[in-house]
Amino acid sequence: MKKTSIIFLLFIYVLSSACKEEEISPKEIILGKWEEIYLGNGEERPLLVPSGYRQFLSDSVLIEYDYATKKSFEKKYWIDSLLHIGTQRQDGFWLIFDYKYQFYDDNLRLETNNFSTIFNVSISKK
């Protein structure tokens, strides 16, 4: 009886671990083009027309493209518990902005962290 119980518990454990979804790393989810659909302070009102996109590449390069000017800017990013976006000034000094991030339904919600802005929340769609 004891052997049967152990085998049964082992069988249940193997089945439960096989059924779990693999968690995808934020470093993988963020890759690709994201078009901003909301900018504000949490009211969740969509933008009428996106002004551009951010494209996160696998080599930690971020390309920001503006539709109106047709100009792009290259920045660096890295992600851990926060999303860090950095740009180097002409004098060599790095400006780094930190964001709290959340992924849901092909959306990326960014909230400014440790700096003040007029709009502190943006939501982008892949």
Side-chain angles (χ1 to χ4, degrees), residues 25-27 30 77-85 97-103 108-114:
S25 163
K27 293 175 184 176
I30 202 164
Y77 79 93
W78 62 99
I79 190 167
D80 46 39
S81 62
L82 296 171
L83 171 63
H84 312 277
I85 296 177
F97 300 96
D98 299 330
Y99 301 89
K100 296 176 188 172
Y101 63 88
Q102 177 185 12
F103 297 101
L108 168 60
R109 183 181 192 276
L110 297 178
E111 185 175 341
T112 59
N113 189 58
N114 294 332

Side-chain angles (χ1 to χ4, degrees), residues 60-81:
S60 296
V61 172
L62 168 63
I63 297 172
E64 291 183 340
Y65 183 80
D66 185 282
Y67 293 139
T69 63
K70 297 183 179 170
K71 290 186 179 180
S72 62
F73 302 93
E74 194 171 295
K75 298 181 177 182
K76 292 287 185 183
Y77 79 93
W78 62 99
I79 190 167
D80 46 39
S81 62

